Amino acid sequence: MSDRYALFGNPVKQSKSPALHAMFARATGQDMSYEAIEAPPGGFAEALAAFRAAGGRGGNVTAPFKLEAFAAADWLSPRAESAGAVNTLKFEDGRILADNVDGLGLRRDVEINLARPLAGRRVLILGAGGAARGALQPFLEAGPAELVLLNRTVAKAEALVERVRALGPIALADRARLGEQAFDIVVNATSASLFGQRPDVADGVFGPETLAYELAYGKGLTPFLAQGRAAGARQLADGVGMLVEQGAEGFAWWRGVRPGTAEALAALRVPLA
Ligand code: ATR
């Protein structure tokens, strides 16, 4: 029987992860399967245990279970510790090993696929939930000139800035002056687009050279991307490249072979408008 992997989440029907890992397995000749498991709210630990008992080898975790996966782990990578959440699991020698490669996937997509190196650049991140938190360490390691954090609930952004202050030049946004100078990269790491809303940010953060990056994927021109475009940003992207890159990282960890990502990117990317 081929080795089994799974995505745990709720909902999972919309996920492109099964198609992505099927592509990676085909391209690298790996004998494995990857399924989507929709666990009921509060039912993650049980679903995970059942999958392990049935011989599962590892998997991915998406909303709303990333914190429960963190709690279930026997070993956490430093990245997962820093993010406070887990998105990739490997079962080995009776233990649950856990990593978080979301931020790394985002960084690779921005720096390599979209050709926007972060070193020396001014970056604005919107949001202070799990998604934003996962991006901070990998982004700061890339050496930006400045990483500014803006969140609807200021206290949450303040707490995040304090947590990672030692890692690099991170600052809390000054809302009154935020629109005065365009950023090189603006990342929407809020969940606003899942509700058809957009985070409140001044048009002035976008300029002609700005990359406006929406973490969600498959939602077309979200209100955030529409604002970026209207405000003059010429480069827009959604999170499909982040999905593909984090998937490749997890796949390499599980299987010891790194798939190329160009084919999957071309297959899964949907025009934004
Ligand atoms: P995730 O894991 O996707 O980051 P989360 O931890 O629930 O989800 O965090 C959601 C983030 O999106 C938060 O930063 C939230 O802002 P608050 O801290 O003020 O709640 C942000 N968010 C959600 N809906 C939003 C909206 N309509 N406008 C602005 N920010 C929003």
Side-chain angles (χ1 to χ4, degrees):
M1 202 175 92
S2 47
D3 293 336
R4 285 177 71 193
Y5 296 84
L7 168 72
F8 296 87
N10 189 338
V12 289
K13 277 190 288 294
Q14 81 297 346
S15 175
K16 294 187 197 256
S17 286
L20 175 67
H21 285 287
M23 265 184 265
F24 287 161
R26 216 179 306 121
T28 56
Q30 294 288 303
D31 184 15
M32 59 179 277
S33 67
Y34 187 106
E35 65 211 85
I37 296 177
E38 186 164 292
F44 170 73
E46 207 176 312
L48 183 70
F51 184 65
R52 288 178 74 204
R57 300 288 298 271
N60 291 117
V61 183
T62 189
F65 299 128
K66 290 184 184 187
L67 300 181
E68 283 163 75
F70 184 89
D74 297 308
W75 175 85
L76 289 161
S77 70
R79 289 189 291 237
E81 297 247 25
S82 162
V86 155
N87 91 316
T88 308
L89 299 170
K90 180 156 90 165
F91 313 140
E92 210 168 71
D93 303 327
R95 298 167 76 220
I96 301 173
L97 313 183
D99 200 351
N100 188 325
V101 292
D102 280 335
L104 181 70
L106 171 62
R107 178 177 160 190
R108 286 223 179 108
D109 190 37
V110 168
E111 293 206 291
I112 301 169
N113 301 329
L114 298 167
R116 299 295 297 254
L118 294 165
R121 301 297 175 184
R122 296 182 66 243
V123 180
L124 175 64
I125 295 189
L126 310 177
R133 184 165 154 174
L136 296 184
Q137 185 186 4
F139 267 42
L140 286 170
E141 280 169 1
E146 187 184 21
L147 202 163
V148 176
L149 200 61
L150 176 69
N151 193 47
R152 181 176 60 184
T153 309
V154 178
K156 270 168 76 178
E158 260 166 6
L160 261 195
V161 167
E162 279 313 312
R163 243 182 98 90
V164 298
R165 192 182 283 292
L167 299 179
I170 183 162
L172 202 62
D174 174 357
R175 238 188 219 284
R177 307 193 52 192
L178 195 63
E180 290 175 8
Q181 193 186 358
F183 285 81
D184 297 296
I185 297 163
V186 181
V187 177
N188 181 17
T190 74
S191 51
S193 52
L194 304 184
F195 313 107
Q197 299 169 349
R198 72 170 179 83
D200 178 20
V201 62
D203 283 343
V205 304
F206 303 100
E209 304 306 325
T210 303
L211 163 64
Y213 193 106
E214 171 75 70
L215 233 59
Y217 67 83
K219 303 214 166 295
L221 199 67
T222 60
F224 164 78
L225 290 175
Q227 180 191 8
R229 171 178 281 180
R234 278 202 293 261
Q235 194 178 13
L236 309 179
D238 75 359
V240 72
M242 170 181 174
L243 172 84
V244 169
E245 294 300 329
Q246 67 74 32
E249 191 66 27
F251 190 96
W253 189 41
W254 298 329
R255 310 303 299 178
V257 49
R258 176 172 290 278
T261 53
E263 181 200 341
L265 265 172
L268 297 181
R269 204 180 278 296
V270 176
L272 290 176

